[in-house]
Amino acid sequence: MPDLFVSWPEYHQKIEQLAVCIYESHWPLNQIVCLARGGLRIGDVLSRLFDLPLAVLATASYGGEAGQLRGSLKIAEHLTMTTGTLGSHVLLVDDLVDSGTTFQEVVGWLTHHHGADLQALRTAVLWYKAGSSFQPDYYVDYLPDNPWIHQPFERYEHTSPAELKVNP
């Protein structure tokens, strides 16, 4: 499996490209839900650009020393949001779609827990890997060779606050 290394400028450029793609679709979204942790930065930027409320749903499926071991998906018990109800046209955002399992399960979770509010749900990612069983509605890059993506914030997974004090 090849590796894809992404810098901060490239990462931000991808988010902006995703925003343009969503904007050009003219889809009337009125709420953004991001999956934490990978979709937090993306959801925050899209929420600001589209001037829409942001909701956060924590999920976890990767762990291990290198963060490359996929385990069973864990989904938070509640969606965190500042609005009284979920919007009717929700954009579900994450950084990438790898196997597709997370999106499939979260779409089911949102439908089960907030189905009365939802009229339409679309999905958006920066990277769509060919090995995924789930196709997002919006994506920036399709990756036919399923690379491991090294994102710019990955260094914080291997750095402690004490190390920052010594090596700022």
Side-chain angles (χ1 to χ4, degrees):
M1 175 183 346
D3 288 301
L4 174 63
F5 292 87
V6 181
S7 68
W8 278 115
E10 291 168 326
Y11 182 78
H12 289 114
Q13 182 182 40
K14 299 278 183 213
I15 296 172
E16 291 172 6
Q17 289 173 317
L18 183 62
V20 169
C21 181
I22 295 162
Y23 172 77
E24 288 179 341
S25 77
H26 302 288
W27 187 60
L29 66 151
N30 58 18
Q31 175 93 50
I32 295 171
V33 173
C34 68
L35 298 181
R37 293 188 309 185
L40 278 171
R41 291 166 184 86
I42 301 159
D44 175 59
V45 172
L46 293 179
S47 172
R48 292 170 190 274
L49 288 170
F50 287 96
D51 193 23
L52 292 173
L54 177 66
V56 178
L57 183 63
T59 60
S61 62
Y62 284 94
E65 187 176 319
Q68 296 183 3
L69 300 174
R70 184 179 298 135
S72 62
L73 179 65
K74 296 175 185 101
I75 301 175
E77 207 172 309
H78 302 283
L79 183 63
T80 301
M81 57 186 172
T82 57
T83 54
T85 60
L86 190 63
S88 60
H89 290 70
V90 171
L91 181 67
L92 178 60
V93 177
D94 203 357
D95 53 353
L96 61 97
V97 60
D98 192 351
S99 69
T101 301
T102 298
F103 269 105
Q104 289 169 347
E105 291 193 30
V106 168
V107 166
W109 187 96
L110 282 170
T111 302
H112 176 76
H113 290 85
H114 296 277
D117 301 323
L118 279 174
Q119 290 179 18
L121 175 70
R122 291 195 182 175
T123 56
V125 297
L126 302 180
W127 299 284
Y128 168 28
K129 292 186 178 184
S132 174
S133 61
F134 185 93
Q135 181 175 346
D137 296 292
Y138 306 102
Y139 58 91
V140 177
D141 292 328
Y142 175 76
L143 304 172
D145 51 356
N146 297 305
W148 183 261
I149 303 169
H150 297 274
Q151 298 188 50
F153 46 82
E154 186 177 287
R155 75 178 274 245
Y156 299 114
E157 294 173 5
H158 312 287
T159 305
S160 71
E163 291 171 310
L164 292 175
K165 184 178 177 184
V166 174
N167 300 310

